[in-house]
């Protein structure tokens, strides 16, 4: 019974750690011209947006495109981090499940 409880606790700890890592994802990306900086979370949601002095000189259309492109790059990096964390979790959880005692 102690072994079963220890394994269940290890699985719960693994799930908790996985959730913490996903929640902690925050990616900041700056446009090549350094005029736009966007920050997104692990879901790709915009969490911050900074415009450098002179950004308004791009004009509304180009500035909008720059904001979208920069936020999209940040989201791609966030999704890559999320995928790596998920892959790591899946491998470690599979090992934990494989080590269960045979009844």
């Amino acid at each position: 019974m102690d072994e079963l409880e220890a394994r269940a606790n290890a699985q719960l700890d693994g799930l908790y750690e996985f959730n913490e890592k996903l929640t902690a994802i925050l990616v900041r990306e700056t446009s090549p011209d350094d005029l736009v900086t966007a920050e997104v979370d692990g879901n790709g949601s915009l969490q911050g947006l900074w415009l450098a002095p002179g950004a308004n000189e791009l004009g509304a259309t180009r500035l909008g495109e720059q904001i979208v492109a920069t936020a999209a790059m940040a989201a791609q990096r966030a999704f890559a981090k999320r995928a790596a964390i998920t892959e790591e979790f899946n491998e470690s959880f599979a090992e934990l499940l494989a080590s269960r005692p045979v009844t």
Side-chain angles (χ1 to χ4, degrees):
M1 191 62 159
D2 289 340
E3 184 179 340
L4 181 61
E5 183 179 347
R7 285 178 33 73
N9 284 332
Q11 290 172 348
L12 286 173
D13 289 345
L15 287 170
Y16 177 76
E17 182 180 330
F18 174 60
N19 185 58
E20 288 294 308
K21 287 180 179 181
L22 290 180
T23 303
I25 295 172
L26 202 58
V27 174
R28 190 177 287 191
E29 183 75 28
T30 300
S31 62
D33 59 9
D34 293 327
L35 293 177
V36 175
T37 299
E39 186 175 73
V40 302
D41 65 14
N43 295 317
S45 299
L46 188 64
Q47 299 298 307
L49 180 64
W50 297 269
L51 303 177
N56 61 337
E57 294 173 16
L58 292 174
T61 301
R62 283 200 54 226
L63 180 57
E65 290 169 351
Q66 189 81 299
I67 289 170
V68 170
T70 304
M73 287 301 298
Q76 286 177 355
R77 286 184 45 220
F79 294 150
K81 283 186 177 188
R82 185 179 183 100
I85 290 168
T86 301
E87 185 175 331
E88 177 187 310
F89 169 76
N90 287 340
E91 289 172 6
S92 66
F93 205 73
E95 289 173 11
L96 185 59
L97 291 177
S99 70
R100 69 180 175 191
V102 178
T103 56

